[in-house]
Amino acid sequence: MGHHNRHFSGDPYSLNGIWGPPTSAANFCEEDYAVTFYIAEFINALTNVTYIYYAFRYARNRGRNQAWNGHDLMSISLFLVGVSSFIFHTTLRQTAQLFDDLSMLLLGASFLLSVYTTNQTPVVQSLLATIICGGISIVSVIYLRTGNMVLHTISFGTVLLLTGPRTWYLIRKRKGLSKDKSGEKKKSSGLDYKLAKAGVLLVAGFTLWNIDLVMCSQLRAVRNYVGLPWAWLFELHGWWHILTAASAFEFIELVRIIC
């Protein structure tokens, strides 16, 4: 399931927003311009602040222990996801959707670069960085030219599938190197917890996103019944933003420890 085969458009106010009629290939279950004519999907837009919050929270946490050089690709990418997704859900324009999806690929690329280039020789690091950046660039260009959301979904899913096992391996290796140090053992156990937490948050967010797609009519009925502000709790795509932002933060913290 994915937003490439579900499209919710034609809402009563969808043609009255200041951004004009929606042109994006994706249109989610939240009723368009129901709250304000300035924001197409109100909750779906505002919940992107979570990505921005966690991007700056990481920068603050890093600053407690060491200077943050301002070039952290993971936290910068997370910030860009928040900004681009906010613009997309505010306007529902196709160009904004493309940049939103590309920011996700950039975030995935930053994860791959972090976990695959660590503990490698400079030559291997350069080779892997070239392969990763080249692959993401090719996919991004094709996606920009075609707008094929299936390609984006498969690409992003592949990035996650490649990131998980390598991260698990790095944790196992770290445990092996510190097996005689009880303090390090305890710390390494916390790494497993962080990886599991990031995974659970991601799966929970993905599940709610798909429920939002499959059960849109039922959710809209519930929202109409309970009324505002409680109806906003049932905007499940917004929860996807919140949960995946928390998942990304946990993973970034984990990667910075093991790398």
Side-chain angles (χ1 to χ4, degrees):
M1 180 58 61
H3 59 283
H4 61 276
N5 53 19
R6 295 278 179 166
H7 195 279
F8 305 97
S9 56
D11 293 322
Y13 302 108
S14 61
L15 301 181
N16 299 325
I18 65 168
W19 307 107
T23 61
S24 59
N27 186 302
F28 297 93
C29 185
E30 184 173 2
E31 188 174 334
D32 297 348
Y33 295 106
V35 176
T36 171
F37 294 142
Y38 296 96
I39 300 178
E41 295 178 344
F42 187 74
I43 295 299
N44 288 351
L46 293 190
T47 48
N48 284 289
V49 173
T50 314
Y51 294 110
I52 298 172
Y53 163 74
Y54 278 121
F56 281 104
R57 178 178 170 181
Y58 171 72
R60 186 182 70 249
N61 287 353
R62 183 176 173 86
R64 291 172 182 169
N65 302 313
Q66 54 184 301
W68 188 63
N69 60 21
H71 298 289
D72 186 290
L73 183 59
M74 290 187 295
S75 54
I76 291 173
S77 300
L78 190 62
F79 174 79
L80 292 177
V81 168
V83 172
S84 59
S85 185
F86 175 84
I87 294 173
F88 162 50
H89 287 287
T90 295
T91 64
L92 288 182
R93 308 299 294 179
Q94 178 65 8
T95 301
Q97 180 192 329
L98 292 175
F99 280 104
D100 178 22
D101 291 340
L102 290 180
S103 70
M104 292 174 62
L105 291 177
L106 178 62
L107 179 62
S110 72
F111 289 163
L112 287 177
L113 286 169
S114 296
V115 299
Y116 276 96
T117 61
T118 191
N119 297 334
Q120 305 285 4
T121 65
V123 173
V124 175
Q125 284 182 344
S126 299
L127 178 60
L128 289 173
T130 300
I131 293 173
I132 292 170
C133 293
I136 292 295
S137 298
I138 291 172
V139 170
S140 298
V141 170
I142 296 174
Y143 181 60
L144 282 174
R145 292 178 64 88
T146 65
N148 188 331
M149 287 190 290
V150 177
L151 172 64
H152 171 266
T153 302
I154 293 174
S155 301
F156 189 70
T158 301
V159 166
L160 295 181
L161 289 175
L162 290 173
T163 301
R166 173 65 177 176
T167 306
W168 184 84
Y169 165 78
L170 290 175
I171 293 174
R172 302 276 74 74
K173 186 174 182 180
R174 184 184 180 93
K175 280 189 171 184
L177 292 174
S178 59
K179 60 183 179 181
D180 295 327
K181 302 176 182 179
S182 58
E184 285 296 321
K185 272 188 176 181
K186 186 175 181 180
K187 187 175 181 180
S188 296
S189 298
L191 301 181
D192 284 325
Y193 172 77
K194 275 188 171 294
L195 180 61
K197 184 177 179 181
V200 169
L201 288 169
L202 177 63
V203 171
F206 184 75
T207 300
L208 292 179
W209 177 13
N210 281 277
I211 292 174
D212 195 61
L213 293 172
V214 176
M215 302 182 64
C216 182
S217 59
Q218 296 91 327
L219 287 168
R220 286 190 172 191
V222 171
R223 293 169 197 157
N224 289 332
Y225 178 76
V226 300
L228 295 176
W230 304 111
W232 288 337
L233 294 176
F234 298 92
E235 298 289 357
L236 300 189
H237 189 76
W239 286 106
W240 153 264
H241 293 155
I242 293 171
L243 291 171
T244 53
S247 174
F249 174 75
E250 289 292 334
F251 189 76
I252 289 174
E253 292 273 86
L254 168 63
V255 169
R256 284 305 170 193
I257 295 172
I258 63 177
C259 296

